[in-house]
Amino acid sequence: VQLMESGGGLVQPGGSLRLSCAASGSTHHINAMGWYRQPPNKERELVAIIRNSGDTNYADSVKGRFTISRDNAKSTVSLRMNSLKPEDTAIYYCNAVLVVNIEGSTVVVWGQGTPVTVSA
């Protein structure tokens, strides 16, 4: 599976952006997809995930502002980001969790990342 992100850029505080991630290849192995981010000089952190069931989880820092959605037919996941703050500045990475065998072994695949800068 390969992942390709798009939609990053520069936005003013309070603005909105929509990130998209398209998966290609053996997408039938995908069990969950998500977004992580790595702010400057910090560790990579979870932003939001969405499972095949539709269940979602969000980081506390983005709850109520960000919305993750998924189109299973198109193997895409999107992240709508509203009310952006300077502290949301980071490289945003798409990821996919693949179940690769009957025992439930998993493999995690990452995209290349797309930069988001929130600044006046």
Side-chain angles (χ1 to χ4, degrees):
V1 170
Q2 295 80 44
L3 303 175
M4 180 66 71
E5 302 105 332
S6 61
L10 173 65
V11 63
Q12 293 186 340
S16 298
L17 276 178
R18 184 181 181 89
L19 306 182
S20 294
C21 174
S24 60
S26 300
T27 58
H28 58 279
H29 288 296
I30 294 176
N31 179 262
M33 298 185 76
W35 290 94
Y36 286 69
R37 67 186 182 187
Q38 187 164 13
N41 303 313
K42 293 186 178 180
E43 298 288 324
R44 191 174 298 189
E45 61 186 15
L46 170 70
V47 177
I49 59 172
I50 183 167
R51 300 172 183 82
N52 284 359
S53 63
D55 291 343
T56 58
N57 287 96
Y58 293 90
D60 287 343
S61 59
V62 306
K63 283 180 181 176
R65 300 189 297 124
F66 292 10
T67 302
I68 190 169
S69 59
R70 189 168 161 195
D71 184 335
N72 290 327
K74 297 180 179 180
S75 298
T76 60
V77 63
S78 297
L79 185 70
R80 176 67 178 178
M81 304 185 294
N82 295 327
S83 303
L84 283 161
K85 305 175 182 179
E87 52 262 44
D88 294 317
T89 295
I91 305 294
Y92 282 70
Y93 296 90
C94 175
N95 94 336
V97 179
L98 316 178
V99 177
V100 295
N101 60 30
I102 196 169
E103 289 81 18
S105 300
T106 58
V107 171
V108 179
V109 178
W110 294 92
Q112 296 284 344
T114 184
V116 171
T117 302
V118 185
S119 175

